[in-house]
Amino acid sequence: MSLLVVGSIALDSLETPFGKKEDVLGGSATYFSTTASFFGPVQLVAVIGEDFPESHLQFLRGRGIDLEGLTREAGRTFRWKGKYGWELNEAQTLDTQLNVFESFSPNLPAAYRETPYVFLGNIHPELQSRVLDQVKAPKLVAADTMNFWIQGSRPALLKTLQRVNLLFINDAEARQLSGEHNVVKAARAILAMGPSRVVIKRGEHGALLFDQDHIFACPAFPLSEVFDPTGAGDTFAGGFMGTLASSGSSGKVDQQLLRKAMVMGSVMASFTVEKFSLERLREVQRPEIHARFAEFKKLTHFDDLGPLGG
Amino acid sequence: MSLLVVGSIALDSLETPFGKKEDVLGGSATYFSTTASFFGPVQLVAVIGEDFPESHLQFLRGRGIDLEGLTREAGRTFRWKGKYGWELNEAQTLDTQLNVFESFSPNLPAAYRETPYVFLGNIHPELQSRVLDQVKAPKLVAADTMNFWIQGSRPALLKTLQRVNLLFINDAEARQLSGEHNVVKAARAILAMGPSRVVIKRGEHGALLFDQDHIFACPAFPLSEVFDPTGAGDTFAGGFMGTLASSGSSGKVDQQLLRKAMVMGSVMASFTVEKFSLERLREVQRPEIHARFAEFKKLTHFDDLGPLGG
């Protein structure tokens, strides 16, 4: 089943302890759609400027991503400049130039309006709502957000959350949104805001999936080299939603499928951070993806307790 | 099979966001031995002062802990005073009074010298070595250490590590000891120092077990209330070593047993932090322990990937 993503396409300039890159392909919708394209059809709604390289479009098209919802506007493409220290967990934003993204108003082609799986990337919550006004009867709506909207557009965000089934959020943002320091309490508070499921992302410490009745803890893949964490969260969401959409023909999004989706999100994110930008996602092959999924089993499996003592 | 622990017995004064306690039972050997006593026989080597309450000794005796190696010296018992903020991950030490612990020189009763499982609590690495001089042919020697020894007694610590099979260490200390920021690289560097296994503890983010060929990631149990993290690390070690010692009659310490030990360490630590001092460990019952072990299965289990895509 197909999957719709609305978000940013950017040209990123990155500095990490391992090197520097200028104007490389980035943006939430880019990471998400590239990742999800490994699992099934993806429809992309985003905006680019006149300067956006044709080669990047060819890459996205080459991944089979439906670009009917992609518009090119007069002006420059959204640019983000960030720097990571050794912690590699949080980027320091050096510069943001919204450019054409400033007046982005997502308009869904007719063919996109019946799409069952929807991912609202990290854009203004009012724009996220506007997307939902246009889709007819989505089976599952997931969203991402960030500190900027939690602080600056809280009422709009709370309104959007009422219409969202699953929220992806990092731990610091979950605390900020909920006002709860403890991660379990924060998750419960967010579940009371609308979403029936929340995924709390914890960078190198993995991610937690909460619903009313279950908690699932998924580790991050222990990597000895992390080059560039940019896009890890959107890649995670892409692997997660791609897994749901590609398995959802039975119509059942149950715990076991959600857990597989969590692991696949972690698998894909573990590839993304191994190189700059989308370099690793460009080259990774399905057998590697399946092999790393199996590695997650080995990483987390343990036997039942059995007899102990004495 | 029996298990020997050498470490501190303390009277702790604690301040957390949830309350204050003065002169409560604490110390690495106390948390370790109390926890390990759920699994099998434990021998304790430690020192207390004249002021150590008889009721605490009765408690330890009541848990079946062998106190032949416990000596009472003239002077006051070791005291530690610490404070936790909302993060609850790291204590701020407000005061340390070594008292009788300052001249602690562990002397093993004859009956302890053939004990197969040895845990060297967080004491001076030279004292740890002195304990190893006294044990005959231990099957497995595990140790804990801390930033204070890593910085101040590095040569002695490196010497001890040559004789240690398994090191418990937290992530910040692993970085400090190895000089590697990345946790996988840090673990590999520590494996090159002597231990064939290293457990890297990450507080609320769980723990990682490394050997040359495997990594096992164990989450922490997601608790909505964490009252007092004091002793969580030693409780983890107690659950871990207790599991090994009680299952080790076959003589085989393999991956699956080590993984069960990791989970049991996490189970026991999750109880300890639910109340102040050893309050929760005093009341917890075996059925609760087994039930929480089963909860860890539910928390981490996921199905094989199966068919995906399209």
Side-chain angles (χ1 to χ4, degrees):
Chain A
M1 290 180 140
S2 69
L3 171 55
L4 169 67
V5 52
V6 182
S8 62
I9 292 185
L11 295 173
D12 289 343
S13 292
L14 308 168
E15 212 181 310
T16 82
F18 312 105
K20 256 174 116 159
K21 293 274 171 177
E22 298 252 326
D23 281 349
V24 292
L25 184 58
S28 63
T30 316
Y31 281 101
F32 182 95
S33 61
T34 300
T35 307
S37 71
F38 283 90
F39 304 94
V42 186
Q43 299 163 335
L44 176 68
V45 176
V47 61
I48 53 175
E50 294 158 313
D51 57 348
F52 191 74
E54 183 56 33
S55 60
H56 291 339
L57 288 180
Q58 274 168 16
F59 163 66
L60 295 171
R61 235 180 258 121
R63 296 262 1 139
I65 298 163
D66 181 339
L67 301 182
E68 198 193 333
L70 180 69
T71 54
R72 196 191 279 269
E73 303 289 343
R76 276 159 60 87
T77 301
F78 173 40
R79 273 172 171 74
W80 178 75
K81 193 170 178 176
K83 190 178 167 173
Y84 298 88
W86 283 100
E87 275 302 329
L88 285 170
N89 259 340
E90 204 170 352
Q92 183 193 350
T93 292
L94 300 176
D95 190 28
T96 304
Q97 296 172 19
L98 291 176
N99 300 329
V100 296
F101 195 56
E102 190 159 12
S103 51
F104 177 49
S105 179
N107 212 332
L108 272 55
Y112 286 21
R113 296 179 184 228
E114 317 230 5
T115 300
Y117 291 87
V118 177
F119 177 69
L120 306 169
N122 173 24
I123 56 176
H124 194 297
E126 275 172 18
L127 295 186
Q128 292 180 323
S129 271
R130 219 176 293 165
V131 171
L132 295 181
D133 294 339
Q134 297 172 60
V135 290
K136 284 197 182 134
K139 196 172 149 60
L140 192 140
V141 175
D144 188 14
T145 192
M146 73 183 291
N147 49 9
F148 186 74
W149 312 121
I150 296 170
Q151 203 189 328
S153 307
R154 192 177 174 87
L157 177 59
L158 292 178
K159 238 167 138 177
T160 300
L161 285 181
Q162 295 278 352
R163 305 168 73 183
V164 164
N165 306 114
L166 191 152
L167 182 67
F168 294 98
I169 192 165
N170 76 33
D171 45 3
E173 291 157 357
R175 285 170 176 166
Q176 190 186 5
L177 175 59
S178 65
E180 293 284 357
H181 187 86
N182 175 283
V183 72
V184 179
K185 285 187 183 168
R188 286 190 192 141
I190 293 169
L191 292 177
M193 293 174 188
S196 57
R197 279 140 186 164
V198 57
V199 174
I200 297 189
K201 298 174 288 177
R202 306 199 285 182
E204 64 164 322
H205 299 301
L208 295 167
L209 168 69
F210 292 85
D211 66 19
Q212 287 300 346
D213 305 313
H214 310 88
I215 307 178
F216 174 59
C218 183
F221 195 70
L223 293 167
S224 59
E225 305 278 0
V226 174
F227 259 79
D228 173 16
T230 309
D234 294 300
T235 305
F236 181 95
F240 186 104
M241 293 294 288
T243 302
L244 291 195
S246 69
S247 311
S249 49
S250 70
K252 215 176 137 207
V253 176
D254 62 11
Q255 259 296 306
Q256 280 310 322
L257 178 56
L258 286 164
R259 287 172 175 226
K260 275 191 217 180
M262 286 284 288
V263 177
M264 191 55 89
S266 302
V267 164
M268 298 307 291
S270 77
F271 287 119
T272 287
V273 303
E274 285 180 339
K275 292 198 175 177
F276 271 110
S277 179
L278 284 90
E279 284 172 25
R280 188 70 175 94
L281 283 181
R282 282 174 192 268
E283 66 188 21
V284 71
Q285 301 291 324
R286 281 181 76 104
E288 283 175 280
I289 294 171
H290 286 244
R292 192 161 287 182
F293 191 100
E295 286 293 320
F296 266 85
K297 266 275 182 201
K298 286 192 206 161
L299 178 65
T300 58
H301 178 81
F302 58 94
D303 286 350
D304 291 326
L305 188 54
L308 263 191
Chain B
M1 288 180 141
S2 68
L3 172 55
L4 167 68
V5 52
V6 182
S8 62
I9 291 185
L11 295 173
D12 289 344
S13 293
L14 308 167
E15 210 181 311
T16 82
F18 312 105
K20 257 174 115 159
K21 294 273 172 180
E22 298 253 325
D23 281 349
V24 291
L25 183 58
S28 63
T30 316
Y31 281 102
F32 182 94
S33 60
T34 301
T35 307
S37 71
F38 283 91
F39 305 95
V42 186
Q43 299 162 336
L44 176 67
V45 177
V47 61
I48 53 175
E50 294 157 312
D51 58 348
F52 191 74
E54 182 57 32
S55 61
H56 292 339
L57 288 181
Q58 274 169 15
F59 163 66
L60 295 171
R61 236 179 259 119
R63 296 262 2 137
I65 299 163
D66 182 339
L67 301 183
E68 197 193 334
L70 180 68
T71 53
R72 195 192 280 270
E73 302 289 344
R76 277 158 60 87
T77 300
F78 173 39
R79 272 171 173 76
W80 178 76
K81 193 171 180 176
K83 190 179 167 172
Y84 299 88
W86 283 100
E87 276 302 331
L88 286 169
N89 259 341
E90 203 170 352
Q92 183 194 347
T93 291
L94 300 176
D95 190 29
T96 304
Q97 295 172 19
L98 291 176
N99 300 328
V100 295
F101 195 57
E102 190 159 13
S103 51
F104 178 48
S105 178
N107 212 331
L108 271 53
Y112 286 21
R113 297 181 181 225
E114 317 230 3
T115 300
Y117 292 87
V118 177
F119 177 69
L120 305 168
N122 173 25
I123 56 176
H124 193 298
E126 275 173 17
L127 295 187
Q128 292 179 324
S129 271
R130 218 175 295 165
V131 171
L132 295 181
D133 293 340
Q134 297 171 61
V135 290
K136 284 200 180 131
K139 197 173 149 58
L140 192 139
V141 174
D144 188 14
T145 192
M146 72 182 291
N147 47 10
F148 186 75
W149 312 121
I150 296 170
Q151 202 188 330
S153 308
R154 193 180 174 85
L157 176 60
L158 292 177
K159 238 169 140 177
T160 300
L161 285 180
Q162 296 278 353
R163 306 168 74 182
V164 163
N165 306 114
L166 190 153
L167 182 67
F168 295 97
I169 191 166
N170 77 32
D171 45 3
E173 291 158 358
R175 286 169 175 166
Q176 190 187 4
L177 175 59
S178 65
E180 292 285 356
H181 187 85
N182 176 283
V183 71
V184 179
K185 286 187 181 166
R188 285 190 192 140
I190 292 168
L191 291 177
M193 294 174 187
S196 57
R197 281 139 186 164
V198 59
V199 174
I200 297 190
K201 298 174 288 177
R202 305 199 284 182
E204 63 164 325
H205 299 301
L208 296 167
L209 167 70
F210 292 85
D211 67 18
Q212 288 299 347
D213 304 314
H214 310 89
I215 307 178
F216 175 59
C218 182
F221 195 69
L223 292 167
S224 59
E225 307 278 359
V226 174
F227 259 79
D228 174 15
T230 309
D234 295 301
T235 304
F236 180 96
F240 186 104
M241 293 294 288
T243 302
L244 291 194
S246 69
S247 311
S249 49
S250 71
K252 214 178 139 206
V253 176
D254 62 11
Q255 259 297 305
Q256 280 311 323
L257 178 56
L258 287 164
R259 286 172 176 227
K260 277 191 216 180
M262 287 284 286
V263 176
M264 191 54 89
S266 302
V267 164
M268 297 309 290
S270 77
F271 287 118
T272 287
V273 303
E274 285 181 339
K275 293 198 173 176
F276 271 109
S277 178
L278 284 91
E279 286 172 24
R280 189 70 175 96
L281 284 182
R282 283 174 191 268
E283 67 188 21
V284 72
Q285 301 291 323
R286 281 180 76 105
E288 284 176 279
I289 294 171
H290 286 244
R292 193 162 286 180
F293 191 100
E295 286 293 320
F296 267 85
K297 265 274 180 198
K298 287 192 204 159
L299 178 67
T300 58
H301 177 82
F302 59 94
D303 286 350
D304 290 326
L305 189 55
L308 264 191

